[in-house]
Amino acid sequence: MYFKKLVGENCFLSPIDVNDAELFTSWLNDLEIVENLGFPNLMITVESERTMLEELAKEHNYAIIDQKTNQCIGNCGFKYVDLLNKTAEVGIFIGNRDFWNRGYGQEALKLLIDYGFQSLNLHSVYLKVFSYNTRAIRCYEKIGFKEIGRRRESLLRGEVWHDIILMDILVGEVS
């Protein structure tokens, strides 16, 4: 069951439902999906994913739900929330391919970041993205994220080295 915690036009963010463990497990064992998440070498079981969702549900992590179908399409959330320095790292993924390139990730991330700035009183939100993930980079830039650094050639995929790009956004910079 999903609850409308943060509501946009096309999607809303709901507290994570651990009963979605099988759905998330199917996504997280799909190499095309996880190549952008940084753990393509892991085998995720339903049991391990249920445990992970239980942990994620305790913090500021949410399922992304399509408004029209009430279908879970991915998740997003904050980790490393530092209330003293008012910073947090953000992560997102859309697991359902039918919702790729349709603005759902951008809308969900904007909802989450607005929540972080307005309700958690964050000042800065940051993320890491692989240099080959140009779709995500464009999404982040549209929201207002700016590149703040790179870890050069720090990710090996096949026999090709890639950079890990660091980006952040400050309160008041959301587009």
Side-chain angles (χ1 to χ4, degrees):
M1 177 173 266
Y2 303 117
F3 302 94
K4 294 184 177 186
K5 172 91 175 173
L6 305 168
V7 181
E9 287 184 35
N10 298 308
C11 67
F12 65 91
L13 304 186
S14 172
I16 289 176
D17 184 344
V18 296
N19 293 317
D20 284 333
E22 192 169 317
L23 177 64
F24 279 94
T25 302
S26 69
W27 293 335
L28 295 175
N29 281 294
D30 183 326
L31 286 177
E32 186 179 2
I33 293 170
V34 297
E35 73 180 352
N36 295 319
L37 300 178
F39 48 87
N41 58 324
L42 298 180
M43 293 302 293
I44 309 294
T45 65
V46 174
E47 295 78 25
S48 67
E49 185 57 20
R50 183 176 308 282
T51 300
M52 178 58 70
L53 290 177
E54 287 170 353
E55 288 303 309
L56 289 174
K58 295 176 184 176
E59 299 294 329
H60 300 284
N61 296 287
Y62 301 95
I64 303 168
I65 311 299
D66 176 48
Q67 285 275 30
K68 291 179 186 159
T69 64
N70 207 44
Q71 177 181 2
C72 180
I73 64 170
N75 75 2
C76 61
F78 293 120
K79 59 182 180 179
Y80 310 122
V81 176
D82 178 347
L83 295 177
L84 178 64
N85 294 300
K86 300 180 182 264
T87 65
E89 183 175 357
V90 70
I92 182 170
F93 87 97
I94 304 293
N96 185 325
R97 288 192 178 115
D98 294 339
F99 293 87
W100 286 6
N101 299 314
R102 294 180 47 198
Y104 282 84
Q106 184 177 342
E107 182 176 342
L109 197 51
K110 281 177 99 169
L111 289 169
L112 182 66
I113 290 169
D114 285 342
Y115 169 74
F117 288 150
Q118 295 174 17
S119 298
L120 300 179
N121 294 316
L122 297 175
H123 179 74
S124 172
V125 174
Y126 63 96
L127 58 82
K128 294 178 266 190
V129 62
F130 304 140
S131 58
Y132 60 78
N133 193 350
T134 55
R135 184 177 70 219
I137 293 167
R138 279 193 309 273
C139 171
Y140 303 147
E141 289 173 341
K142 286 179 186 176
I143 293 169
F145 278 87
K146 295 175 180 36
E147 183 175 327
I148 57 171
R150 285 178 179 252
R151 291 184 51 217
R152 297 176 302 138
E153 296 185 4
S154 53
L155 179 75
L156 182 62
R157 288 291 183 265
E159 295 186 18
V160 179
W161 287 100
H162 301 277
D163 296 349
I164 296 176
I165 300 172
L166 306 172
M167 302 178 83
D168 77 353
I169 188 168
L170 301 177
V171 67
E173 291 183 340
V174 178
S175 298

